[in-house]
Protein backbone atom coordinates (compact mmCIF):
# COMPACT_ATOMS: atom_id res chain seq x y z
CA UNK A 1 0.00 0.00 0.00
CA UNK A 2 1.25 3.47 -0.81
CA UNK A 3 2.68 5.55 1.96
CA UNK A 4 -0.11 8.13 1.84
CA UNK A 5 -2.37 10.15 -0.39
CA UNK A 6 -0.35 12.62 -2.46
CA UNK A 7 -3.03 15.32 -2.54
CA UNK A 8 -1.63 18.81 -2.08
CA UNK A 9 -3.55 20.52 0.73
CA UNK A 10 -2.20 24.05 0.69
CA UNK A 11 -5.25 25.79 -0.77
CA UNK A 12 -7.83 24.18 1.52
CA UNK A 13 -8.76 24.51 5.19
CA UNK A 14 -9.81 21.25 6.82
CA UNK A 15 -11.97 21.94 9.84
CA UNK A 16 -12.69 18.36 10.92
CA UNK A 17 -10.58 15.22 10.70
CA UNK A 18 -11.37 11.62 11.63
CA UNK A 19 -8.65 9.09 12.40
CA UNK A 20 -8.56 5.33 12.87
CA UNK A 21 -6.35 2.30 12.40
CA UNK A 22 -8.14 -0.37 10.38
CA UNK A 23 -7.33 -4.05 10.03
CA UNK A 24 -8.39 -5.12 6.55
CA UNK A 25 -7.29 -8.74 6.98
CA UNK A 26 -7.14 -11.03 10.05
CA UNK A 27 -3.41 -11.52 9.55
CA UNK A 28 -2.81 -7.80 9.91
CA UNK A 29 -4.31 -7.90 13.40
CA UNK A 30 -2.02 -10.80 14.32
CA UNK A 31 0.99 -8.82 13.13
CA UNK A 32 -0.35 -5.70 14.89
CA UNK A 33 0.11 -3.70 11.71
CA UNK A 34 -2.88 -1.92 10.23
CA UNK A 35 -3.84 0.82 7.81
CA UNK A 36 -3.81 4.29 9.35
CA UNK A 37 -6.60 6.37 7.83
CA UNK A 38 -7.40 10.08 8.11
CA UNK A 39 -10.46 11.62 6.49
CA UNK A 40 -11.06 15.37 6.50
CA UNK A 41 -13.92 17.79 5.85
CA UNK A 42 -13.01 21.25 4.56
CA UNK A 43 -14.71 24.59 5.26
CA UNK A 44 -17.25 23.91 2.50
CA UNK A 45 -18.18 20.50 3.89
CA UNK A 46 -16.33 18.58 1.17
CA UNK A 47 -14.89 15.28 2.38
CA UNK A 48 -11.50 13.95 1.39
CA UNK A 49 -9.37 10.91 2.14
CA UNK A 50 -6.25 12.69 3.41
CA UNK A 51 -4.03 9.81 4.43
CA UNK A 52 -3.93 6.04 4.15
CA UNK A 53 -0.74 4.26 5.05
CA UNK A 54 0.61 1.17 6.80
CA UNK A 55 1.45 1.60 10.45
CA UNK A 56 0.75 0.59 14.02
CA UNK A 57 -2.54 1.68 15.56
CA UNK A 58 -1.24 2.47 19.04
CA UNK A 59 2.10 3.86 17.91
CA UNK A 60 2.62 7.58 18.42
CA UNK A 61 5.51 7.51 15.97
CA UNK A 62 3.38 5.97 13.19
CA UNK A 63 0.73 8.67 13.61
CA UNK A 64 3.35 11.41 13.98
CA UNK A 65 4.71 10.52 10.55
CA UNK A 66 1.22 10.65 9.04
CA UNK A 67 0.42 14.05 10.57
CA UNK A 68 3.79 15.56 9.68
CA UNK A 69 3.22 14.41 6.10
CA UNK A 70 -0.12 16.25 6.08
CA UNK A 71 1.67 19.40 7.23
CA UNK A 72 4.38 18.92 4.61
CA UNK A 73 1.69 18.63 1.93
CA UNK A 74 0.25 22.00 2.90
CA UNK A 75 -2.05 21.52 5.91
CA UNK A 76 -0.63 24.52 7.77
CA UNK A 77 -3.69 25.52 9.82
CA UNK A 78 -4.64 23.24 12.67
CA UNK A 79 -7.99 21.49 12.13
CA UNK A 80 -10.69 22.62 14.56
CA UNK A 81 -11.56 19.10 15.76
CA UNK A 82 -10.25 15.54 15.50
CA UNK A 83 -12.39 12.48 16.20
CA UNK A 84 -11.12 9.00 16.94
CA UNK A 85 -10.80 6.10 19.36
CA UNK A 86 -9.11 6.83 22.66
CA UNK A 87 -6.72 3.88 22.29
CA UNK A 88 -4.95 5.40 19.31
CA UNK A 89 -1.38 6.64 19.50
CA UNK A 90 -2.82 9.40 17.34
CA UNK A 91 -3.63 11.72 20.25
CA UNK A 92 -0.10 12.27 21.53
CA UNK A 93 1.07 12.89 17.97
CA UNK A 94 -1.83 15.28 17.34
CA UNK A 95 -0.91 17.40 20.36
CA UNK A 96 2.63 17.69 19.03
CA UNK A 97 1.84 18.46 15.39
CA UNK A 98 -1.51 20.31 15.58
CA UNK A 99 -1.46 21.66 19.11
CA UNK A 100 -4.69 23.69 19.01
CA UNK A 101 -6.92 20.98 17.54
CA UNK A 102 -9.67 19.93 19.94
CA UNK A 103 -10.26 16.25 20.67
CA UNK A 104 -13.45 14.21 20.38
CA UNK A 105 -13.48 10.56 21.46
CA UNK A 106 -15.56 8.25 19.31
CA UNK A 107 -18.83 7.24 20.98
CA UNK A 108 -19.04 3.99 19.01
CA UNK A 109 -15.69 2.77 20.32
CA UNK A 110 -16.34 4.06 23.83
CA UNK A 111 -19.73 2.37 24.05
CA UNK A 112 -18.24 -0.97 23.02
CA UNK A 113 -15.36 -0.61 25.48
CA UNK A 114 -17.67 0.21 28.40
CA UNK A 115 -20.18 -2.55 27.63
CA UNK A 116 -17.44 -5.14 27.20
CA UNK A 117 -16.47 -4.51 30.84
CA UNK A 118 -20.00 -5.30 32.04
CA UNK A 119 -21.96 -8.58 32.24
CA UNK A 120 -24.09 -9.34 29.20
CA UNK A 121 -27.22 -9.26 31.34
CA UNK A 122 -26.65 -5.53 31.98
CA UNK A 123 -25.45 -4.43 28.57
CA UNK A 124 -28.77 -3.57 26.92
CA UNK A 125 -29.85 -1.37 29.83
CA UNK A 126 -26.45 0.30 30.12
CA UNK A 127 -26.32 0.89 26.37
CA UNK A 128 -29.60 2.79 26.58
CA UNK A 129 -28.22 4.99 29.34
CA UNK A 130 -25.06 5.66 27.31
CA UNK A 131 -27.22 6.69 24.38
CA UNK A 132 -28.99 9.13 26.68
CA UNK A 133 -25.68 10.96 27.06
CA UNK A 134 -24.67 11.53 23.45
CA UNK A 135 -28.23 11.89 22.18
CA UNK A 136 -29.05 14.66 24.68
CA UNK A 137 -30.25 17.94 23.21
CA UNK A 138 -27.73 20.10 25.09
CA UNK A 139 -24.37 19.71 26.77
CA UNK A 140 -25.96 20.37 30.16
CA UNK A 141 -28.44 17.52 29.66
CA UNK A 142 -25.62 15.29 28.43
CA UNK A 143 -23.63 16.06 31.59
CA UNK A 144 -26.65 15.19 33.73
CA UNK A 145 -27.07 11.89 31.88
CA UNK A 146 -23.35 11.23 32.31
CA UNK A 147 -23.64 11.77 36.08
CA UNK A 148 -26.66 9.46 36.18
CA UNK A 149 -24.69 6.69 34.45
CA UNK A 150 -21.79 7.05 36.88
CA UNK A 151 -24.11 6.99 39.90
CA UNK A 152 -26.11 4.03 38.58
CA UNK A 153 -23.25 1.73 37.59
CA UNK A 154 -20.16 3.11 39.33
CA UNK A 155 -20.29 1.07 42.53
CA UNK A 156 -20.90 -2.36 41.06
CA UNK A 157 -19.10 -1.99 37.74
CA UNK A 158 -16.40 0.51 38.57
CA UNK A 159 -13.98 -0.67 35.86
CA UNK A 160 -16.57 -0.10 33.15
CA UNK A 161 -17.43 3.34 34.48
CA UNK A 162 -13.77 4.27 34.79
CA UNK A 163 -13.39 3.74 31.03
CA UNK A 164 -16.09 6.33 30.50
CA UNK A 165 -15.04 8.85 33.14
CA UNK A 166 -11.42 9.11 32.01
CA UNK A 167 -12.51 10.63 28.69
CA UNK A 168 -15.45 12.68 29.96
CA UNK A 169 -14.40 16.04 28.53
CA UNK A 170 -13.28 14.60 25.19
CA UNK A 171 -16.54 12.67 24.82
CA UNK A 172 -18.61 15.86 25.10
CA UNK A 173 -16.52 18.21 22.95
CA UNK A 174 -18.88 17.85 20.00
CA UNK A 175 -21.52 19.84 21.88
CA UNK A 176 -19.39 22.97 21.41
CA UNK A 177 -19.93 22.75 17.65
CA UNK A 178 -22.98 23.40 15.47
CA UNK A 179 -25.85 21.03 16.19
CA UNK A 180 -26.11 20.08 12.51
CA UNK A 181 -22.60 18.64 12.69
CA UNK A 182 -23.02 16.50 15.80
CA UNK A 183 -23.98 13.30 14.01
CA UNK A 184 -20.82 13.57 11.91
CA UNK A 185 -18.26 14.48 14.56
CA UNK A 186 -19.19 12.43 17.64
CA UNK A 187 -17.98 9.15 16.11
CA UNK A 188 -15.25 8.07 13.73
CA UNK A 189 -17.80 6.47 11.40
CA UNK A 190 -17.59 5.56 8.60
CA UNK A 191 -13.94 4.77 9.27
CA UNK A 192 -15.23 2.35 11.88
CA UNK A 193 -18.66 1.32 13.13
CA UNK A 194 -20.13 -1.76 14.86
CA UNK A 195 -19.81 -4.81 12.65
CA UNK A 196 -18.43 -2.76 9.78
CA UNK A 197 -16.12 -4.74 7.57
CA UNK A 198 -17.12 -3.68 4.06
CA UNK A 199 -15.02 -0.71 5.21
CA UNK A 200 -13.59 0.38 1.92
CA UNK A 201 -16.86 0.54 0.02
CA UNK A 202 -18.56 2.59 2.72
CA UNK A 203 -15.60 4.91 3.20
CA UNK A 204 -15.36 5.67 -0.50
CA UNK A 205 -19.15 6.09 -0.72
CA UNK A 206 -19.07 8.58 2.16
CA UNK A 207 -16.14 10.53 0.74
CA UNK A 208 -17.66 10.67 -2.73
CA UNK A 209 -21.24 11.28 -1.62
CA UNK A 210 -22.84 14.35 -3.12
CA UNK A 211 -24.19 15.57 0.21
CA UNK A 212 -21.53 17.61 2.06
CA UNK A 213 -21.53 18.46 5.73
CA UNK A 214 -23.65 21.62 5.84
CA UNK A 215 -21.66 24.47 7.31
CA UNK A 216 -24.44 27.08 7.19
CA UNK A 217 -26.56 26.33 10.20
CA UNK A 218 -28.66 27.41 13.12
CA UNK A 219 -26.69 27.64 16.38
CA UNK A 220 -27.14 24.86 18.92
CA UNK A 221 -29.39 25.88 21.83
CA UNK A 222 -26.42 26.85 24.00
CA UNK A 223 -24.61 28.77 21.24
CA UNK A 224 -24.95 32.50 20.73
CA UNK A 225 -22.47 32.87 17.89
CA UNK A 226 -22.88 32.13 14.21
CA UNK A 227 -20.55 29.85 12.31
CA UNK A 228 -17.94 27.47 13.59
CA UNK A 229 -16.16 28.05 16.91
CA UNK A 230 -13.44 30.62 16.45
CA UNK A 231 -9.78 29.98 17.09
Amino acid sequence: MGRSRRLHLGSRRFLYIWADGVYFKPRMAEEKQCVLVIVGADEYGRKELLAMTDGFRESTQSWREVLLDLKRRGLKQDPKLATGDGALGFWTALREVFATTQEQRCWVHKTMNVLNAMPKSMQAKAKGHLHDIWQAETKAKASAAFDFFVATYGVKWDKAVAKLVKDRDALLTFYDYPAEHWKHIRTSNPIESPGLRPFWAELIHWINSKTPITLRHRPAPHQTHQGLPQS
Side-chain angles (χ1 to χ4, degrees), residues 185-230:
I185 62 177
R186 63 192 172 202
T187 78
S188 54
N189 289 344
I191 292 179
E192 190 68 72
S193 63
L196 177 65
R197 275 298 168 258
F199 161 81
W200 188 245
E202 183 166 348
L203 174 63
I204 294 300
H205 173 75
W206 185 73
I207 292 169
N208 293 331
S209 65
K210 295 181 180 179
T211 304
I213 296 173
T214 303
L215 295 186
R216 295 188 180 278
H217 64 283
R218 294 172 289 100
H222 64 288
Q223 292 175 314
T224 57
H225 61 277
Q226 294 289 330
L228 293 172
Q230 299 300 305

Side-chain angles (χ1 to χ4, degrees), residues 80-181:
K80 289 284 188 182
L81 182 72
T83 302
D85 175 17
L88 298 175
F90 170 78
W91 300 110
T92 300
L94 180 74
R95 293 165 200 147
E96 295 174 3
V97 180
F98 297 118
T100 67
T101 299
Q102 291 188 292
E103 301 178 12
Q104 171 65 44
R105 296 295 182 272
C106 172
W107 270 102
V108 169
H109 286 90
K110 182 60 68 177
T111 298
M112 290 190 293
N113 291 340
V114 171
L115 295 181
N116 285 341
M118 302 180 76
K120 288 187 177 181
S121 61
M122 291 301 302
Q123 288 182 3
K125 182 179 179 182
K127 184 176 182 180
H129 287 146
L130 288 171
H131 284 188
D132 289 342
I133 302 173
W134 58 263
Q135 290 181 341
E137 294 179 355
T138 66
K139 192 171 189 177
K141 291 181 179 179
S143 292
F146 201 111
D147 291 339
F148 176 83
F149 189 94
V150 172
T152 302
Y153 300 101
V155 175
K156 200 165 185 180
W157 295 287
D158 58 311
K159 291 182 179 179
V161 170
K163 293 177 182 292
L164 188 70
V165 171
K166 73 183 182 71
D167 286 326
R168 178 171 184 145
D169 290 342
L171 284 165
L172 301 180
T173 307
F174 75 92
Y175 280 104
D176 297 330
Y177 288 79
E180 286 80 357
H181 301 183

Side-chain angles (χ1 to χ4, degrees), residues 8-17 38 40-44 50 67-82 94 96-102 228-231:
H8 180 67
L9 306 173
S11 62
R12 295 171 68 182
R13 172 89 195 276
F14 285 89
L15 301 178
Y16 300 139
I17 59 174
I38 294 182
D42 68 13
E43 57 194 320
Y44 303 106
L50 301 181
L67 294 175
L68 286 173
D69 185 63
L70 292 183
K71 183 167 280 192
R72 180 189 64 78
R73 286 158 49 206
L75 189 59
K76 302 303 183 185
Q77 263 188 300
D78 293 6
K80 289 284 188 182
L81 182 72
L94 180 74
E96 295 174 3
V97 180
F98 297 118
T100 67
T101 299
Q102 291 188 292
L228 293 172
Q230 299 300 305
S231 299

Side-chain angles (χ1 to χ4, degrees), residues 19-33:
D20 206 355
V22 181
Y23 299 101
F24 283 89
K25 300 177 182 178
R27 191 171 68 178
M28 292 183 74
E30 294 173 5
E31 296 172 351
K32 300 187 182 301
Q33 190 173 39

